[in-house]
Amino acid sequence: GTHGRFTLIELLLVIGIVVVLGAIVLVIMSPNDQLKEAYNIQRRQDIGGILNSVYKYGIDNKGKLPDLPATATEICRSQPDSDCKGFVDLSMLRGKYLSTIPADPEEATKHSTKYTIYRDPSNAVVTVSAPQAQNEVISVSQ
């Protein structure tokens, strides 16, 4: 008889089930990917908040926006009295428009948020980007 032996179908079925279960475990056990996606969600919220606050500032100041560079430049993270040379200083937004200047959740340094901002001189569109984003480009323009 067939006692003690597996048929080919049974063997393939067991292998298939093991492969499917292994794939599920890999998906569940990859917190690194979930963490990267969480960081990217934070980045999207941060740069959207920065862009909105720039325009709210403009509304409150008769259309005058903060001074923004013509090419993508990093936004300063530090307090207004700190060294922001080479960075865009958006400290005028702190308080009324933003509680703090948002910074990249993974890559920010003491002085740099790692987010960039610029205002295109040809069409006056403001763009805020998160260049440290994982596996995608995160950028908003208005």
Side-chain angles (χ1 to χ4, degrees):
T2 58
H3 292 297
R5 291 199 170 155
F6 294 107
T7 65
L8 184 60
I9 297 293
E10 288 172 328
L11 201 57
L12 289 173
L13 195 61
V14 168
I15 290 171
I17 290 170
V18 168
V19 166
V20 168
L21 288 175
I24 291 170
V25 167
L26 275 177
V27 169
I28 292 171
M29 300 297 283
S30 66
N32 204 18
D33 291 344
Q34 293 171 342
L35 192 60
K36 285 179 181 180
E37 184 53 34
Y39 285 153
N40 283 346
I41 290 168
Q42 182 66 50
R43 289 176 177 113
R44 279 187 219 100
Q45 290 174 339
D46 286 352
I47 66 174
I50 292 168
L51 189 64
N52 286 339
S53 64
V54 164
Y55 280 102
K56 284 179 187 168
Y57 175 90
I59 290 167
D60 288 352
N61 289 279
K62 299 182 175 128
K64 183 173 179 351
L65 297 180
D67 287 332
L68 300 174
T71 57
T73 307
E74 288 186 38
I75 299 167
C76 187
R77 178 181 194 170
S78 308
Q79 301 301 322
D81 56 355
S82 294
D83 182 23
C84 269
K85 286 180 182 62
F87 296 109
V88 178
D89 182 7
L90 294 180
S91 58
M92 77 292 294
L93 302 177
R94 191 181 289 115
K96 185 173 182 183
Y97 306 99
L98 290 167
S99 55
T100 60
I101 304 298
D104 189 280
E106 202 173 13
E107 298 286 337
T109 64
K110 182 178 176 191
H111 292 297
S112 174
T113 61
K114 292 294 181 182
Y115 294 145
T116 63
I117 190 169
Y118 72 95
R119 188 171 188 196
D120 189 322
S122 66
N123 58 13
V125 169
V126 176
T127 301
V128 185
S129 301
Q132 306 304 118
Q134 304 286 334
N135 309 323
E136 64 180 297
V137 175
I138 298 179
S139 183
V140 290
S141 299
Q142 185 173 317

